[in-house]
Amino acid sequence: MSTLAVHDHGVAHHDDHGHEHHHNETFLSKYVFSMDHKMIAKQFLITGITMAVIAMILSILFRIQLAYPDKSFPLLTTLLGRFAPNGRISADFYLSLVTIHGTIMVFFVLTAGLSGTFANLLIPLQVGARDMASPFMNMLSYWFFFLASVIMLSSFLVQKGPASGGWTIYPPLSALPKAMPGSGEGMTLWLISMVLFVASSLMGGINYVSTVLNMRTKGMDLWKMPLTIWALFLTAILGILAFPVLVAGVVLLIFDRSFGTSFYLSDIVLNGVQQPYEGGSPILFQHLFWFLGHPEVYIVIMPAMGISSEVMSVNSRKPIFGYHAMVYSLIGITVLSFIVWGHHMFVTGMNPFLGGVFMITTLIIAVPSAVKTFNWLATLWRGNIRFTPAMLFAIGMVSFFISGGLTGIFLGNAALDINLHDTYFVVAHFHLVMGSAAIFGMLAGVYHWFPKMFGRMMDDKLGYLHFWLTFIGAYLVFFPMHFMGLDGVPRRYYAFTEFVSMQRWLTVNTFITWAAIMAACAQVAFLYNFISSIFIGKKATQNPWESNTLEWTTPVEHLHGNWPGEIPTVYRWPYDYSKPGAEEDFIPQTVPFSQTMSSNLPHDFEDNPKGLEELNKFTSTLKANEQVK
C-alpha cells in the first residue's frame, strides 16, 4: 500500500506542476543545476567521458615511457614542463601518471560515469516514476562528483605533482608527506577529492534504493523489473555499505599525515632519521581499503552486467535465459563480495588458515559469475540476432568477462598468487575482467539508450569501426601482459632496462604501446559519432529497438515528469520476445494479458487464478472451434 501511496502522490504533484515548470525553466535550471534525472544522467555521462579521455591520455604517456625508456622526446618537455626534464618523464611523475590513471578509471569513469549515468536515466523510466525520490539530492550528487573531479585534476597544478602512491595509496608513501614528491599536497588533494566522491556516491545510492523500493508504478513488482534495475539497485546497496569504510580509512590517514598519530605507521626511518611513529600497522589500511576495494570491482561490473543482459535480450529477440537465476546470482555476488577482500593480501604475511578461508570464498564467488556467463550464452544461442553496435559491445563485454575471469581463478589461489602478485599478470587480469568488460558494458548502454537520451540515432558504421578497433586493441594490449607476469615482470616499474632478465620484454612493451595508441585513436571515431549525433544524427522514433521496457513508452521529446498523462500500468515481465502465437516479436510490459490471448501461457498466471481460468476457457473454445471445422 505504501508503495502505491507514494507513487500516487508523485503523480498528483507532477501532473499539477510538472508541465508549467517545464516551460518556465532558465538555462541554469535546465542545463546546469537541473533536478531532472534525464539531464543529470547526461551530465554524469559527459563528465565521465571527459575523465575517461584524460585517463586514456595519461596511460599513453606512461606507455611511451615503458616502450622507449632510454629515448628523449622533446615534445614531452613542451607538454609536461618540469615533469619531463630532457624529454623523458621523471620517475616520480611516472608513478603519478599510473596513480591518477587508475583512480580516474576505477572511481570517476567506471563507478560514477557508469552507475551515475544509467541509474539516473533508467531507474525512474524503467520502474515507472516521475523522477528520483529526491531530485535535489540527485543534483547535489552530480555536483559533488564534479567538484571531486576538478580537485583530482587540479593536483597536476601543485608544485610537487599529483599523488603517486598507486591508486590503492598504501602507507607509508601516502601517510608520510615527505616520503616522495607525490606524497605532499598532491596526496592531500587526492584524499579530499575521494571524500567528496564518496559523499556523491552515497547521495546517489540512497536515492536509487529509495526510488526502486518506493516509487514503482502500479503492477511493477520486483519480479517484473528489468535486469538493469536489479543490477543498479544492488550496486547502490553495495556502495552504501562499502564506501563509508574507505572514508574511515582515509580519515585515519589524514590524522597520520597531519596530526602525528600512528594508525598506519611504526618504526619508520626517513633519510637516515628515526621517525617518532610507533605501534601502527600499514596492514590495517589494506584491510580497510580492500573492504571497499573488492565490493568496488562489483560496483563497477554489475551495472555493465545488467546493461548487457538487457541489450542482448532485445537484440537476440529472445527472453533472457534464466531470469530468476540471473537475479539470484546478482544477489549472491552482492553478499559474497564482502567476504573475499583478503585475496588482495595473500602476501602480507596473513595466517595461512585465514588465507585458505579467503581462497575458498573467492572461488565460490566465481559460481554466480559463471551462472551469468552461461545464461548470456544461452540467450544468444539460436537467437534472431541483430548485430547493432550496442549488441556487439554487449557480446564483447561477455568475451572480456570470460577471458579476464578465468585468470581470476589463478589469482584467487593463495599458492599461485604468491608468485603472480604485483606482476603484470594482475594488471592483465583486472584490465580485462573489470576495465575492458565494464567499459564495453558502458558503451553498449551508450549506443542502446542514446536515442532515449538525445532523441537521435548514432551512426552504425562508425559504431562498427569503433567496436572492432577497440575490441582488437584491448586484447592486443592486455593479453601479452599475462606472459610477462608469468615470467615475473613486476608492475609499476619505471623501466625494465636495469634488469637483464626483463630486457627481453622490451619489444613486447613496444608492441603493447602501439596497440594502446591504436585503441586510443579508435575512440576518436566514438567521440565524433557521439558529439555529431547529438546535433545532426537521424531523428529517433519512440521505440527504435522494438523493446518491451517502460522507457520506450515515453515521448521522444523529454518532459519533466516523463509521461504526459498517467503513468502506464505494468502487466508482464520485460522479456516477452518472440512469444509463440503473438502477432509481433515483442510485447511491451504495458500490454494486458487480455489483449494477447493467443500467446498467453499457463505460467503467465502463476499469481492470477482468474486469468488462468480465462486462458483455459479461451483454449477450450479454440479447441471446440477446431473440432467443428
Side-chain angles (χ1 to χ4, degrees):
M1 286 299 290
S2 61
T3 304
L4 291 179
V6 172
H7 158 72
D8 290 341
H9 171 72
V11 175
H13 172 76
H14 281 291
D15 285 351
D16 291 347
H17 306 293
H19 306 304
E20 58 196 287
H21 175 65
H22 179 68
H23 293 303
N24 297 334
E25 283 182 317
T26 62
F27 178 83
L28 273 178
S29 69
K30 186 174 180 186
Y31 293 107
V32 183
F33 299 108
S34 175
M35 291 195 218
D36 183 353
H37 71 98
K38 298 180 291 297
M39 184 56 67
I40 293 170
K42 292 181 198 176
Q43 291 174 324
F44 267 108
L45 178 61
I46 289 165
T47 311
I49 288 173
T50 306
M51 293 297 276
V53 169
I54 292 167
M56 186 176 72
I57 292 166
L58 301 184
S59 69
I60 297 299
L61 288 173
F62 66 70
R63 283 296 341 160
I64 289 170
Q65 162 59 31
L66 288 170
Y68 303 106
D70 297 327
K71 282 199 176 137
S72 291
F73 297 95
L75 181 63
L76 287 178
T77 307
T78 311
L79 291 174
L80 303 172
R82 66 183 183 280
F83 296 128
N86 305 319
R88 287 183 66 191
I89 290 170
S90 71
D92 288 326
F93 190 63
Y94 172 84
L95 286 177
S96 294
L97 290 174
V98 173
T99 301
I100 303 299
H101 164 78
T103 305
I104 289 176
M105 288 306 297
V106 172
F107 294 110
F108 291 80
V109 178
L110 294 176
T111 302
L114 180 51
S115 280
T117 300
F118 292 104
N120 272 301
L121 177 73
L122 296 177
I123 287 176
L125 286 172
Q126 290 196 336
V127 303
R130 295 283 180 199
D131 207 303
M132 283 290 179
S134 170
F136 178 72
M137 200 156 81
N138 212 19
M139 177 191 76
L140 274 186
S141 166
Y142 170 71
W143 284 105
F144 267 72
F145 163 59
F146 182 78
L147 192 58
S149 305
V150 170
I151 291 172
M152 184 63 71
L153 295 177
S154 71
S155 65
F156 281 96
L157 306 177
V158 298
Q159 179 63 33
K160 291 183 177 176
S164 55
W167 78 274
T168 54
I169 58 156
Y170 285 174
L173 288 180
S174 59
L176 292 168
K178 291 179 182 168
M180 61 192 293
S183 301
E185 300 95 330
M187 182 60 73
T188 304
L189 289 168
W190 192 100
L191 295 169
I192 294 166
S193 170
M194 284 312 298
V195 170
L196 290 170
F197 176 85
V198 171
S200 158
S201 292
L202 290 176
M203 283 190 282
I206 291 165
N207 226 344
Y208 307 150
V209 171
S210 304
T211 307
V212 170
L213 291 180
N214 292 326
M215 298 185 69
R216 301 190 304 278
T217 187
K218 190 178 173 188
M220 176 67 81
D221 62 43
L222 293 174
W223 290 114
K224 292 197 182 84
M225 295 198 312
L227 288 170
T228 35
I229 301 300
W230 271 109
L232 292 163
F233 171 61
L234 292 165
T235 300
I237 292 171
L238 264 183
I240 291 166
L241 294 174
F243 271 118
V245 181
L246 177 67
V247 175
V250 163
V251 168
L252 299 184
L253 192 54
I254 291 168
F255 276 31
D256 275 13
R257 287 172 62 80
S258 306
F259 304 119
T261 56
S262 301
F263 290 107
Y264 306 132
L265 298 171
S266 186
D267 307 320
I268 299 284
V269 177
L270 194 61
N271 297 330
V273 180
Q274 175 80 36
Q275 300 296 306
Y277 299 106
E278 266 183 53
S281 168
I283 305 299
L284 169 63
F285 179 83
Q286 291 196 28
H287 279 293
L288 292 172
F289 181 88
W290 287 116
F291 190 82
L292 155 85
H294 201 81
E296 167 64 17
V297 304
Y298 291 104
I299 288 169
V300 163
I301 199 66
M302 279 186 4
M305 289 172 162
I307 288 167
S308 298
S309 300
E310 176 70 22
V311 169
M312 282 177 158
S313 182
V314 170
N315 289 299
S316 297
R317 311 314 289 163
K318 272 180 69 182
I320 193 80
F321 187 90
Y323 172 82
H324 286 81
M326 289 296 243
V327 173
Y328 287 128
S329 62
L330 282 171
I331 294 168
I333 287 170
T334 304
V335 174
L336 288 167
S337 67
F338 282 105
I339 53 171
V340 295
W341 81 90
H343 66 218
H344 296 270
M345 300 169 58
F346 285 142
V347 295
T348 57
M350 68 159 60
N351 185 317
F353 175 76
L354 187 59
V357 172
F358 280 122
M359 182 173 83
I360 290 163
T361 55
T362 301
L363 296 177
I364 289 170
I365 204 171
V367 174
S369 303
V371 168
K372 298 193 81 59
T373 303
F374 171 78
N375 286 2
W376 286 320
L377 297 177
T379 303
L380 293 172
W381 179 251
R382 301 186 74 178
N384 186 14
I385 298 178
R386 299 187 305 200
F387 288 105
T388 63
M391 183 61 159
L392 289 174
F393 277 102
I395 295 170
M397 178 265 170
V398 176
S399 168
F400 286 123
F401 190 69
I402 293 170
S403 54
L406 288 173
T407 55
I409 298 170
F410 291 62
L411 295 168
N413 183 315
L416 291 171
D417 182 68
I418 288 165
N419 290 314
L420 296 171
H421 189 82
D422 262 347
T423 68
Y424 267 83
F425 194 89
V426 178
V427 179
H429 160 70
F430 76 77
H431 276 86
L432 286 176
V433 78
M434 188 179 88
S436 303
I439 287 283
F440 270 56
M442 183 175 174
L443 289 168
V446 171
Y447 279 99
H448 189 74
W449 280 289
F450 188 89
K452 187 78 289 178
M453 280 191 185
F454 298 102
R456 292 179 183 271
M457 306 294 285
M458 288 179 81
D459 182 76
D460 278 356
K461 288 195 177 74
L462 282 173
Y464 295 138
L465 177 72
H466 177 217
F467 169 77
W468 284 111
L469 288 178
T470 310
F471 182 74
I472 294 165
Y475 268 124
L476 291 179
V477 168
F478 300 119
F479 211 77
M481 289 183 186
H482 292 103
F483 305 106
M484 293 172 69
L486 288 169
D487 196 39
V489 179
R491 63 194 283 203
R492 297 191 178 122
Y493 274 37
Y494 171 65
F496 296 111
T497 44
E498 307 294 316
F499 307 95
V500 176
S501 64
M502 295 176 203
Q503 283 176 1
R504 59 181 149 180
W505 293 103
L506 199 59
T507 49
V508 175
N509 260 326
T510 311
F511 172 80
I512 290 172
T513 296
W514 282 104
I517 290 168
M518 179 195 85
C521 291
Q523 307 320 303
V524 175
F526 168 71
L527 291 170
Y528 172 77
N529 194 0
F530 182 83
I531 294 163
S532 66
S533 298
I534 292 173
F535 302 104
I536 57 169
K538 194 178 91 180
K539 287 265 175 79
T541 54
Q542 188 177 11
N543 188 0
W545 314 122
E546 297 182 324
S547 182
N548 291 341
T549 40
L550 279 180
E551 75 269 30
W552 304 107
T553 63
T554 60
V556 178
E557 286 75 31
H558 286 177
L559 296 174
H560 197 81
N562 296 337
W563 286 269
E566 278 189 38
I567 297 176
T569 301
V570 166
Y571 297 95
R572 57 180 72 233
W573 77 322
Y575 299 110
D576 268 342
Y577 292 105
S578 303
K579 208 172 178 188
E583 290 173 20
E584 290 181 293
D585 71 348
F586 70 109
I587 308 172
Q589 287 188 277
T590 52
V591 175
F593 284 110
S594 57
Q595 292 180 22
T596 57
M597 292 305 280
S598 60
S599 65
N600 292 347
L601 299 166
H603 70 73
D604 291 331
F605 301 100
E606 279 170 0
D607 304 322
N608 182 359
K610 196 178 170 192
L612 186 59
E613 205 178 302
E614 284 175 17
L615 177 66
N616 290 337
K617 266 189 207 168
F618 177 78
T619 314
S620 306
T621 312
L622 217 59
K623 279 182 183 167
N625 289 345
E626 279 174 12
Q627 283 170 356
V628 168
K629 280 178 188 174

